């Protein structure tokens, strides 16, 4: 089907063999269209070059105060704190938030992006910087601000505010090397599920490789990051044959589970084995033995992201990339090997 001029919703409907209402429902993520039909409609719309934000002016006007936010999960205090940091400045500016969770599934986020483009929100906020070039192009061409949160981007789509996860891991690794650790192990989720965690892992490993001390064991849990995942992963390491002197875990949730596993196995922390996490969650302040971890500025990140969005919507030219600091927390779950 060859078109002249800008493609219309009727063109997509004709090519897909459905009504214009079905196209509208599919592009907006509403019920009444099967998943198979929705995917076919979206695929045809892409091929024709139909821009879903060219919907009725009344719809665009009705949703122009919406900030669409995608995070992997809200059951993790990290992302809940980031979103909470965003809400107040956005509300003061008369903007409402619409939040979706991707469960770390790139295809789920991609489908969400298509739906949000159809709604033409005031801005889109996505978590991380690792996504397909097709989705990046769609967001790059969006007629509104797009923010990439939580991870620092070398080449931002538009606005980016996050932390450098590789450098955070490397800084922690260098700290552990200076303490004298030489037999580290790693516990995380399946490779590919969390790109930020993989960057931290690589940073820690690269730091240990400066003294020729690779991971002696590595356990990947086929589950969401949780206390239970940390417990199971650490228990597998502790009861294995590699005898590590340290376990670096994906985040604090896993690290807290790892501390429980050590207690269950009769391993003293840090005398027998060190435990390290990432994020410095609030519960760390009340633990009997504070966790060695990396403190991330989650609420401040959300606040700063919201201010960037509001400023851009009001016509200001913002900095494209903001890398926020990560502080190393030298807790009581690691020790120095020096006499």
């Amino acid at each position: 089907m060859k078109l002249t001029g800008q493609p219309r919703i009727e063109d997509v409907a004709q090519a897909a063999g459905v009504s214009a209402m079905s196209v509208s429902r599919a592009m907006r993520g509403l019920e009444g269209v099967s998943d198979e039909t929705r995917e076919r409609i979206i695929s045809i719309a892409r091929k024709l070059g139909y821009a879903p934000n060219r919907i009725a002016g009344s719809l665009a006007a009705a949703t122009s105060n919406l900030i669409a936010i995608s995070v992997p999960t809200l059951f993790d205090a990290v992302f809940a704190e980031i979103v909470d940091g965003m809400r107040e400045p956005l509300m003061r500016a008369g903007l409402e938030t619409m939040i979706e969770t991707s469960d770390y599934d790139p295809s789920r986020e991609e489908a969400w992006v298509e739906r949000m483009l159809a709604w033409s929100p005031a801005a889109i906020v996505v978590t991380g910087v690792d996504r397909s070039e097709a989705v990046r192009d769609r967001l790059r061409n969006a007629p509104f601000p797009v923010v990439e949160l939580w991870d620092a981007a070398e080449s931002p789509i538009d606005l980016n505010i996050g932390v450098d996860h590789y450098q955070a891991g490397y800084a922690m690794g260098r700290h552990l090397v200076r303490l004298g650790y030489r037999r580290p192990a790693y516990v995380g989720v399946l490779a590919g599920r969390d790109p930020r965690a993989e960057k931290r892992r690589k940073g820690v490993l690269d730091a240990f490789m400066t003294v020729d001390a690779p991971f002696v064991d590595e356990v990947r849990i086929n589950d969401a990051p949780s206390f239970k995942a940390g417990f199971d992963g650490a228990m597998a390491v502790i009861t294995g044959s590699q005898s590590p002197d340290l376990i670096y875990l994906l985040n604090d949730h896993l690290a807290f589970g790892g501390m429980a596993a050590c207690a269950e196995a009769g391993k003293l922390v840090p005398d027998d084995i060190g435990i390290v996490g990432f994020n410095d969650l609030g519960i760390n302040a009340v633990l009997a033995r504070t966790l060695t971890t990396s403190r991330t500025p989650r609420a401040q990140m959300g606040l700063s992201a919201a201010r960037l969005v509001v400023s851009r919507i009001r016509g200001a030219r913002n900095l494209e990339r903001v890398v926020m600091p990560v502080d190393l927390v030298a807790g009581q779950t690691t020790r120095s090997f020096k006499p």
Side-chain angles (χ1 to χ4, degrees):
M1 181 178 183
K2 187 175 182 179
L3 301 176
T4 58
Q6 295 290 352
R8 302 168 304 161
I9 192 171
E10 290 81 7
D11 299 322
V12 178
Q14 181 180 348
V18 299
S19 67
M21 179 61 72
S22 293
V23 174
S24 177
R25 285 182 174 276
M27 302 298 283
R28 292 160 57 195
L30 301 180
E31 296 182 358
V33 181
S34 69
D35 291 341
E36 181 180 351
T37 300
R38 188 188 314 280
E39 291 176 5
R40 181 162 56 85
I41 289 171
I42 290 174
S43 176
I44 290 171
R46 287 176 178 170
K47 291 179 181 177
L48 295 179
Y50 172 68
N53 56 291
R54 297 191 186 103
I55 52 181
S58 59
L59 177 61
T63 60
S64 61
N65 70 326
L66 288 179
I67 306 298
I69 304 171
S70 173
V71 294
T73 177
L74 285 174
F75 290 102
D76 187 325
V78 170
F79 300 111
E81 288 178 31
I82 291 175
V83 171
D84 192 53
M86 296 184 69
R87 291 176 66 90
E88 185 175 348
L90 292 177
M91 290 177 64
R92 286 201 305 267
L95 299 166
E96 299 291 338
T97 56
M98 180 167 53
I99 302 168
E100 177 62 35
T101 56
S102 67
D103 194 30
Y104 295 93
D105 184 342
S107 63
R108 184 167 170 176
E109 185 196 64
E110 183 172 350
W112 174 82
V113 166
E114 291 295 338
R115 294 196 301 271
M116 293 306 99
L117 288 171
W119 279 91
S120 192
I124 280 182
V125 179
V126 291
T127 301
V129 300
D130 300 275
R131 50 189 47 86
S132 71
E133 197 57 38
V135 175
R136 288 177 60 83
D137 285 342
R138 297 285 285 165
L139 291 171
R140 192 179 290 115
N141 294 324
F144 43 73
V146 174
V147 183
E148 294 169 287
L149 264 181
W150 185 228
D151 196 1
E154 290 297 327
S155 302
I157 292 172
D158 183 14
L159 300 172
N160 170 233
I161 181 164
V163 301
D164 188 325
H165 289 263
Y166 173 84
Q167 287 299 330
Y170 189 81
M172 178 58 75
R174 291 299 298 160
H175 170 70
L176 299 171
V177 165
R178 287 192 294 270
L179 289 178
Y181 288 99
R182 293 297 183 269
R183 295 184 58 79
Y186 176 77
V187 173
V189 293
L190 294 182
R193 176 179 171 86
D194 186 344
R196 278 78 60 187
E198 296 302 319
K199 294 173 185 178
R200 297 195 297 271
R201 173 198 169 278
K202 187 175 189 308
V204 170
L205 179 58
D206 285 354
F208 271 102
M209 289 305 294
T210 63
V211 291
D212 195 25
F215 291 140
V216 298
D217 199 1
E218 183 164 351
V219 174
R220 301 284 188 150
I221 303 296
N222 185 18
D223 197 1
S226 65
F227 301 122
K228 182 65 165 55
F231 181 93
D232 292 343
M235 187 63 76
V237 169
I238 294 167
T239 58
S241 61
Q242 301 306 314
S243 301
D245 55 15
L246 170 90
I247 307 177
Y248 181 82
L249 297 100
L250 179 149
N251 61 21
D252 284 2
H253 286 108
L254 269 71
F256 296 148
M259 292 170 69
C262 289
E264 177 76 13
K267 292 286 188 179
L268 297 178
V269 178
D271 296 344
D272 297 330
I273 192 166
I275 295 290
V276 180
F278 182 82
N279 275 318
D280 192 28
L281 297 180
I283 191 175
N284 200 26
V286 298
L287 291 178
R289 187 177 296 278
T290 58
L291 178 67
T292 296
T293 185
S294 303
R295 181 179 299 123
T296 52
R298 301 176 297 277
Q300 183 61 40
M301 190 182 301
L303 176 64
S304 299
R307 288 172 175 169
L308 281 176
V309 167
V310 172
S311 179
R312 175 65 69 83
I313 289 173
R314 291 174 176 173
R317 295 183 63 85
N318 307 122
L319 291 173
E320 290 186 351
R321 183 173 183 260
V322 179
V323 180
M324 304 195 78
V326 175
D327 297 324
L328 193 150
V329 178
Q332 299 169 317
T333 57
T334 52
R335 67 182 178 90
S336 174
F337 284 77
K338 298 176 182 178

